[in-house]
């Protein structure tokens, strides 16, 4: 009963399934693309499909399509390739699917047409085609070429073929009954293998799509040879001169006829013609394959003065071609016996300092011939340091002697070639070689590549570090060449060089034995000697200049304003201080040199940045304006002094300023009035005593320094004198207004320059300092004509 109802329902809805809905899309359409809206196209309600049972039957192509029940859209699940789906290249390619909707049951037939796009380039099943064509082929001959293949259809398939430019070939395209195109290669001009043996052509298949695609195949045409070139000799007549008694088997000459053909057509066979006499063929033989003419009988000048050979060269082609030549052999009378050299005695080994005129060998010469053919002479071919002398009583006896000094380092051995020659026509000669070995003597001193070595060593080096390798060269041999290196002893400041440096006696490697400090020692000058092991030994020395290079290994030290370790400098100034007044001066010293000791000053912290200014070069702190009632009473200034090293080192000082509502004069006022203190006050008494003591010590120091300087050699460059400071071994400029000397004694007082250049006592400093600071106004330079007042200060190192 249920079966009958189902059949009834199916039959009732069957007319709806008879209509077919068709869609068309291009192949390679992207995934997710909507093919069609089935709800709209089939007259269905999109909202109603969600509550109804919808079945999409896509047969075997379900992996490509799917259906969205909510929207009624048919969309692509995976890209479609028309060439894969329809490999037989039909004109039309369809995917068939059914949409089945229940309640009530409805069936829709859908065909999805896949249209072709030009996504495949033509190609050849063989990308290389080789053809063999005879050079005798006539123009118009045709040769079949492979067809191209393009899986696309319609206008996207192969449209035409093209051939690369050739004066010998072209192509013709034939179309079969099924529309297939066939390509023939047509010969348009005769071929010549000897001119071009291989023709390389390119066949291109082009489709009609947009854009156009193409594929190529290489056509290799090998031209096959025909026997169209006869063998040729480079001469028609060859003339050879030979002496009588030439040994049997001697090669007279090798004929070499050429044939431009190839294969059997170029293989040549040589033979005598009937014009060659039997007598000639008894004396000479001809190799049929190689063309070599050799002697097979006795050549006698008295029997026959010349021989003529008529020879032909024939190739091995089907229809052989040939060429001919003539060989004439002229026989010359000969000197039958060669002269001889007899070595009576020889010295094969001599010392390189052998005396000029020493005899190396005794030589006799002879010749069994008579007349001019028996007259012989001896010559020396090489080398020219040697010569030969003949004995007056024995004309055929010679002495080989040394004609100039010998040097083993230049030439270690000599091959002396003696040549004996007779006076025959043509002359005969023979030679003998004498080898002379030279023994080494110690005649060369060791030599350094340089006479002066400058070695730069960074201070704080590790003890035992390799500084340089000083290697000398000695061209002598064996013990005369073995070198020993050592430092020539020299004391500097009661210190031996061997305590500072060490050299490897075997290879000349120079090492530092201690760590150097640029601030203590800046350079060393000494000598290194290289001595060989000969007897007697020879030696040479070289000057070594060690330059210690400064590192930024010393931080600046703030010497003014002085304060105990870790303490804060406290200063008191009147609140009525004028704008531009000097509040304090920070002075820092750095024992490094050049740029590593150049110091600049900066505020690290300041209570009020509008109230104070800091000169980055001389460290002067001045007021930028007058104090107001709003300004705090206490001002805290943190100044950092930073050197110019890499990386930079620095030091800081904290200055605590307290303003006072008193009638104390400002610093600027203090400098404008002369010092009128009671000379017998306590501070002045201490000042007089201190200055007297320091002056006495300074005088003693100067005298001692002068005595030491007089005893020491003058340095290469004297230190520039500085005004208002003691001359020392090193003066370094800090910024552009301060000179520092580390050899002066302490002055116990801090003297600060004021606006008008007068000096005011600020505060005492501790004893035992070893620096002197000479302050010179910026821009005045280091001239002796400067009128600016200077201030001095020492600080302990």
């Amino acid at each position: 009963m249920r079966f009958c109802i189902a059949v009834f329902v199916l039959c009732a809805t069957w007319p709806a399934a008879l209509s077919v809905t068709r869609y068309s899309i291009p192949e390679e359409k992207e995934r997710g693309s909507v093919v069609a809206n089935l709800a709209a196209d089939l007259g269905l309600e999109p909202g109603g499909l969600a509550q109804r049972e919808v079945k999409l039957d896509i047969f075997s192509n379900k992996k490509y399509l799917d259906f969205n029940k909510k929207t009624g859209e048919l969309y692509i699940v995976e890209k479609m390739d028309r060439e894969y789906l329809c490999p037989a290249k039909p004109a039309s390619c369809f995917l068939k699917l059914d949409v089945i909707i229940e309640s009530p049951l409805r069936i829709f037939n859908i065909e999805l047409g896949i249209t072709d796009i030009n996504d495949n380039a033509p190609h050849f099943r063989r990308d290389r085609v080789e053809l063999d064509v005879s050079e005798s082929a006539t123009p118009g001959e045709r040769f079949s070429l492979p067809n191209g293949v393009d899986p696309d259809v319609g206008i996207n398939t192969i449209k035409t073929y093209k051939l690369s430019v050739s004066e010998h070939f072209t192509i013709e395209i034939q179309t079969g009954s099924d529309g297939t195109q066939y390509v023939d290669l047509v010969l348009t001009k005769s071929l010549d293998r000897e001119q071009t043996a291989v023709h390389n052509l390119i066949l291109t298949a082009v489709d009609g799509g947009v854009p156009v695609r193409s594929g190529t195949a290489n056509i290799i045409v090998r031209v096959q040879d025909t026997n169209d070139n006869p063998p040729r000799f480079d001469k028609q007549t060859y003339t050879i001169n030979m002496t009588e008694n030439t040994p049997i088997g001697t090669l007279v000459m090798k004929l070499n006829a050429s044939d431009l053909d190839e294969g059997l057509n170029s293989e040549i066979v040589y033979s005598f013609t009937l014009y060659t006499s039997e007598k000639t063929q008894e004396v000479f033989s001809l190799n049929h394959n190689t063309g070599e003419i050799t002697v097979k009988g006795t050549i006698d000048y008295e029997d026959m003065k010349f021989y003529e050979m008529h020879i032909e060269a024939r190739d091995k082609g089907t229809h052989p071609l040939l060429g001919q030549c003539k060989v004439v052999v002229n026989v010359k009378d000969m000197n039958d016996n060669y002269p001889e050299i007899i070595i009576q005695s020889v010295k094969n080994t001599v010392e390189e300092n052998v005396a000029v005129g020493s005899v190396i060998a005794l030589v006799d010469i002879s010749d069994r011939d008579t007349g001019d053919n028996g007259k012989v002479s001896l010559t020396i071919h090489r080398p020219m340091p040697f010569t030969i002398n003949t004995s007056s009583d024995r004309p055929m006896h010679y002495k080989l002697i040394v004609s100039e000094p010998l040097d083993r380092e230049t030439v270690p051995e000599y091959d002396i070639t003696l040549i004996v020659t007779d006076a025959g026509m043509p002359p005969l000669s023979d030679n003998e070689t004498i080898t002379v070995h030279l023994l080494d003597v110690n005649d060369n001193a060791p030599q350094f590549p340089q006479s002066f070595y400058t070695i730069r060593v960074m201070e704080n080096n590790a003890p035992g570090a390799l500084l340089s390798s000083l290697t000398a060269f000695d061209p002598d041999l064996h013990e005369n060449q073995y070198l020993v290196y050592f430092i020539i002893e020299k004391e500097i400041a009661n210190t031996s060089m061997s305590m500072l440096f060490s050299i490897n006696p075997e290879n000349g490697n120079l090492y530092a034995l201690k760590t150097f400090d640029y601030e203590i020692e800046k350079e060393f000058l000494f000598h290194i000697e290289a001595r060989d092991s000969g007897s007697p030994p020879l030696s040479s020395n070289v000057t070594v200049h060690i330059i210690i290079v400064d590192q930024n290994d010393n931080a600046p030290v703030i010497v003014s304003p002085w304060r105990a370790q870790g303490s804060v400098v406290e200063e008191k100034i009147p609140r009525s201080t004028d704008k531009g007044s000097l509040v304090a001066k920070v002075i820092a010293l750095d024992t490094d040199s050049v740029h590593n000791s150049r110091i600049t000053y900066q505020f690290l912290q300041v209570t009020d940045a509008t109230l104070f200014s800091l000169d980055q070069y001389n460290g002067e702190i001045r007021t930028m304006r007058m104090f107001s009632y709003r300004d705090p009473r206490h001002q805290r200034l943190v100044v950092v002094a930073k050197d110019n090293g890499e990386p930079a080192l620095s030091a800081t000082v904290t200055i605590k300023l307290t303003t006072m509502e008193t009638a104390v004069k400002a610093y600027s006022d203090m400098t404008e009035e002369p010092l009128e203190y009671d000379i017998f006050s306590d501070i002045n008494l201490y000042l007089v005593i201190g200055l007297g003591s320091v002056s006495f010590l300074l005088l003693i120091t100067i005298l001692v320094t002068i005595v030491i300087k007089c005893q020491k050699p003058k340095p290469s460059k004297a230190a520039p004198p500085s005004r208002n400071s003691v001359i020392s071994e090193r003066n370094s400029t800090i910024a552009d207004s301060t000179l520092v000397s580390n050899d002066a004694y302490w002055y116990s007082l801090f003297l600060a320059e004021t606006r008008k250049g007068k000096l005011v006592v600020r505060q005492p400093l501790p004893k035992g300092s070893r620096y002197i600071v000479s302050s010179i106004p910026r821009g005045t330079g280091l001239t002796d004509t400067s009128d600016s007042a200077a201030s001095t200060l020492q600080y302990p190192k």
Side-chain angles (χ1 to χ4, degrees):
M1 186 66 179
R2 291 178 181 177
F3 174 76
C4 294
I5 295 174
V7 171
F8 175 78
V9 173
L10 179 62
C11 293
T13 60
W14 188 256
L18 296 178
S19 61
V20 178
T21 303
R22 293 184 176 179
Y23 298 96
S24 176
I25 62 170
E27 62 175 328
E28 298 294 330
K29 196 171 182 62
E30 295 295 330
R31 233 175 4 178
S33 300
V34 176
V35 175
N37 191 320
L38 297 182
D41 294 344
L42 301 179
L44 304 175
E45 303 81 10
L49 292 177
Q51 289 78 25
R52 300 171 67 182
E53 184 68 25
V54 179
K55 181 179 180 183
L56 184 66
D57 189 356
I58 316 180
F59 304 106
S60 61
N61 300 309
K62 189 173 184 179
K63 66 175 182 178
Y64 296 108
L65 300 170
D66 206 346
F67 177 70
N68 189 327
K69 291 177 59 178
K70 292 182 179 181
T71 63
E73 293 176 337
L74 183 67
Y75 62 91
I76 295 175
V77 178
E78 183 178 336
K79 279 186 177 182
M80 288 177 281
D81 186 359
R82 186 185 189 280
E83 287 72 36
Y84 174 76
L85 295 174
C86 301
K89 296 180 62 174
S92 300
C93 180
F94 292 98
L95 288 181
K96 296 183 179 181
L97 59 152
D98 292 339
V99 178
I100 303 173
I101 303 176
E102 298 182 354
S103 301
L105 179 64
R106 299 182 66 186
I107 299 176
F108 298 93
N109 297 108
I110 296 176
E111 290 184 356
L112 186 62
I114 310 300
T115 59
D116 182 53
I117 63 173
N118 193 22
D119 57 343
N120 294 280
H123 66 278
F124 292 86
R125 291 188 175 89
R126 289 190 301 163
D127 58 0
R128 178 184 174 91
V129 178
E130 297 183 359
L131 298 176
D132 291 333
V133 180
S134 174
E135 67 175 325
S136 61
T138 58
E141 286 198 36
R142 311 169 71 88
F143 308 93
S144 296
L145 296 179
N147 296 337
V149 178
D150 192 332
D152 294 324
V153 297
I155 62 172
N156 295 328
T157 191
I158 296 176
K159 180 180 180 181
T160 186
Y161 293 88
K162 297 179 181 179
L163 184 68
S164 58
V165 177
S166 172
E167 64 174 327
H168 293 279
F169 295 96
T170 186
I171 58 171
E172 289 186 2
I173 302 174
Q174 305 291 336
T175 304
S177 58
D178 58 352
T180 302
Q181 291 182 332
Y182 301 95
V183 184
D184 288 338
L185 183 67
V186 181
L187 180 65
T188 59
K189 183 180 178 180
S190 298
L191 301 174
D192 186 356
R193 189 203 63 81
E194 289 71 37
Q195 182 179 1
T196 304
V198 178
H199 295 264
N200 294 295
L201 307 174
I202 298 177
L203 179 63
T204 303
V206 183
D207 64 20
V210 177
V212 174
R213 293 178 179 268
S214 62
T216 62
N218 293 324
I219 310 299
I220 312 299
V221 179
R222 292 191 297 261
V223 182
Q224 302 300 306
D225 183 57
T226 59
N227 194 19
D228 56 349
N229 292 281
R232 295 182 184 276
F233 292 94
D234 54 358
K235 291 182 181 180
Q236 289 298 315
T237 301
Y238 298 90
T239 301
I240 305 296
N241 295 323
M242 298 192 68
T243 59
E244 61 176 333
N245 299 323
T246 298
I248 294 175
T250 301
L251 177 65
V252 177
M253 70 171 300
K254 184 179 185 300
L255 295 173
N256 187 18
S258 60
D259 194 318
L260 299 178
D261 296 322
E262 67 176 359
L264 293 177
N265 297 330
S266 65
E267 294 184 13
I268 298 174
V269 177
Y270 301 90
S271 61
F272 289 122
T273 70
L274 298 177
Y275 296 105
T276 304
S277 66
E278 294 183 359
K279 179 64 175 179
T280 300
Q281 296 187 38
E282 290 176 357
V283 177
F284 300 97
S285 64
L286 173 63
N287 189 304
H288 299 291
N289 295 320
T290 64
E292 293 180 347
I293 301 174
T294 55
V295 177
K296 73 172 184 180
T298 302
I299 300 177
D300 188 357
Y301 175 80
E302 289 71 27
D303 184 30
M304 184 172 283
K305 304 296 186 293
F306 66 91
Y307 298 89
E308 284 188 359
M309 290 173 275
H310 297 268
I311 300 171
E312 70 175 15
R314 186 185 300 267
D315 62 31
K316 295 182 179 180
T318 304
H319 303 285
L321 303 177
L322 59 87
Q324 293 184 342
C325 74
K326 181 172 67 173
V327 177
V328 178
V329 177
N330 295 318
V331 180
K332 300 293 182 179
D333 192 19
M334 65 171 293
N335 185 14
D336 294 317
N337 296 285
Y338 285 83
E340 295 181 356
I341 298 176
I342 302 170
I343 305 298
Q344 299 294 345
S345 65
V346 64
K347 293 180 181 179
N348 294 109
T349 303
V350 296
E351 292 187 341
E352 63 175 318
N353 60 351
V354 61
V356 174
S358 299
V359 177
I360 299 300
L362 297 177
V363 180
D364 288 340
I365 60 175
S366 64
D367 193 317
R368 292 180 297 171
D369 291 328
T370 60
D372 289 339
N373 293 332
K375 295 178 181 179
V376 291
S377 61
L378 184 66
T379 58
I380 183 170
H381 177 60
R382 69 173 193 271
M384 300 304 294
F386 297 89
T387 187
I388 52 174
N389 289 341
T390 182
S391 300
S392 58
D393 56 339
R394 298 176 58 187
M396 307 294 281
H397 182 74
Y398 291 84
K399 294 179 181 179
L400 178 64
I401 63 174
V402 178
S403 61
E404 62 182 59
L406 305 179
D407 185 9
R408 187 207 61 82
E409 288 71 35
T410 304
V411 182
E413 70 176 23
Y414 293 90
D415 290 329
I416 307 167
T417 302
L418 301 177
I419 301 176
V420 60
T421 306
D422 63 22
M425 291 299 294
L428 295 180
S429 64
D430 197 3
N431 63 78
E432 190 75 29
T433 300
I434 298 175
T435 301
V436 177
H437 299 274
L438 300 185
L439 299 178
D440 182 57
V441 296
N442 193 23
D443 57 348
N444 292 279
Q447 295 294 326
F448 286 93
Q450 302 172 216
S451 61
F452 190 92
Y453 286 87
T454 299
I455 302 173
R456 297 182 179 273
V457 180
M458 191 69 66
E459 67 171 330
N460 303 317
N461 59 294
L466 177 65
L467 303 183
S468 181
S469 182
L470 309 177
T471 304
F473 172 73
D474 193 323
D476 293 325
L477 289 179
H478 309 306
E479 66 276 359
N480 298 331
Q481 188 186 41
Y482 299 148
L483 303 182
V484 178
Y485 302 86
F486 56 90
I487 298 175
I488 299 178
E489 282 299 334
K490 177 183 177 182
E491 289 192 357
I492 298 179
N494 297 326
T495 302
S496 173
M497 280 292 107
S498 61
M499 299 183 66
L500 301 177
F501 303 96
S502 172
I503 191 168
N504 189 316
E506 295 181 355
N507 56 25
N509 287 345
L510 183 64
Y511 301 89
L513 297 181
K514 61 166 288 187
T515 300
F516 297 109
D517 186 354
Y518 176 84
E519 286 69 39
I520 299 177
E521 49 223 347
K522 298 175 179 57
E523 62 180 10
F524 302 93
L525 194 67
F526 55 93
H527 298 282
I528 289 178
E529 181 174 310
R531 181 181 300 168
D532 63 26
S533 303
S535 180
L538 300 177
S539 63
S540 64
N541 60 67
V542 68
T543 303
V544 178
H545 185 200
I546 303 293
I547 299 177
I548 308 302
V549 180
D550 181 49
Q551 277 187 331
N552 192 26
D553 56 346
N554 292 282
V557 176
I558 296 178
V559 299
S560 173
W562 183 88
R563 83 279 189 211
Q565 182 69 25
S567 63
V568 178
V569 177
E570 295 186 358
E571 298 282 355
K572 295 181 180 180
I573 58 174
R575 292 186 67 85
S576 60
T577 300
D578 292 336
K579 174 183 177 181
S581 298
L582 179 66
V583 175
K585 182 170 183 176
V586 179
I587 299 178
L589 303 179
D590 194 317
T591 56
D592 291 321
S593 68
V594 196
H595 63 277
N596 291 331
S597 64
R598 294 173 184 168
I599 296 177
T600 56
Y601 304 88
Q602 295 176 353
F603 276 132
L604 192 60
Q605 295 180 10
V606 60
T607 303
D608 189 346
T610 67
L611 190 55
F612 301 100
S613 66
L614 172 61
D615 191 303
Q616 63 173 333
Y617 298 108
N618 60 23
E620 292 181 353
I621 302 176
R622 295 183 181 270
T623 58
M624 297 175 62
R625 59 177 176 82
M626 294 187 65
F627 290 94
S628 68
Y629 68 92
R630 295 187 182 90
D631 295 325
R633 181 183 177 188
H634 299 288
Q635 300 285 335
R636 186 171 182 269
L637 309 178
V638 180
V639 179
V640 58
K642 184 183 298 183
D643 63 23
N644 196 37
E646 183 63 36
L649 302 178
S650 62
T652 60
V653 60
T654 302
I655 302 175
K656 184 178 181 182
L657 295 179
T658 304
T659 58
M660 300 179 59
E661 299 291 345
T662 63
V664 178
K665 294 183 178 180
Y667 292 140
S668 60
D669 297 336
M670 292 173 65
T671 61
E672 294 174 357
E673 298 179 1
L675 298 175
E676 297 178 353
Y677 296 124
D678 185 358
I679 61 175
F680 296 105
S681 64
D682 291 341
I683 186 169
N684 287 332
L685 179 60
Y686 296 148
L687 176 60
V688 171
I689 294 173
L691 288 175
S693 301
V694 170
S695 300
F696 175 74
L697 293 175
L698 180 60
L699 179 60
I700 296 299
T701 302
I702 293 175
L703 293 175
V704 172
T705 304
I706 293 174
V707 172
I708 294 175
K709 292 294 183 179
C710 292
Q711 292 178 351
K712 292 183 177 180
K714 292 184 179 180
S716 59
K717 291 185 180 178
S722 60
R723 190 181 181 197
N724 297 323
S725 66
V726 177
I727 297 177
S728 64
E729 292 184 1
R730 176 174 66 91
N731 289 329
S732 61
T733 302
I734 299 180
D736 60 355
S737 62
T738 304
L739 295 179
V740 179
S741 171
N742 61 353
D743 293 329
Y745 283 91
W746 172 61
Y747 266 91
S748 76
L749 294 179
F750 173 78
L751 303 177
E753 58 182 340
T754 64
R755 292 181 301 168
K756 296 183 178 181
K758 295 184 180 181
L759 305 179
V760 178
V761 177
R762 291 297 309 277
Q763 64 183 36
L765 290 176
K767 296 180 180 180
S769 299
R770 297 219 37 209
Y771 284 110
I772 175 170
V773 178
S774 297
S775 180
I776 300 176
R778 294 178 58 189
T780 61
L782 299 178
T783 63
D784 292 336
T785 59
S786 175
D787 296 330
S788 302
S791 59
T792 57
L793 168 69
Q794 293 91 16
Y795 188 77
K797 186 174 180 180

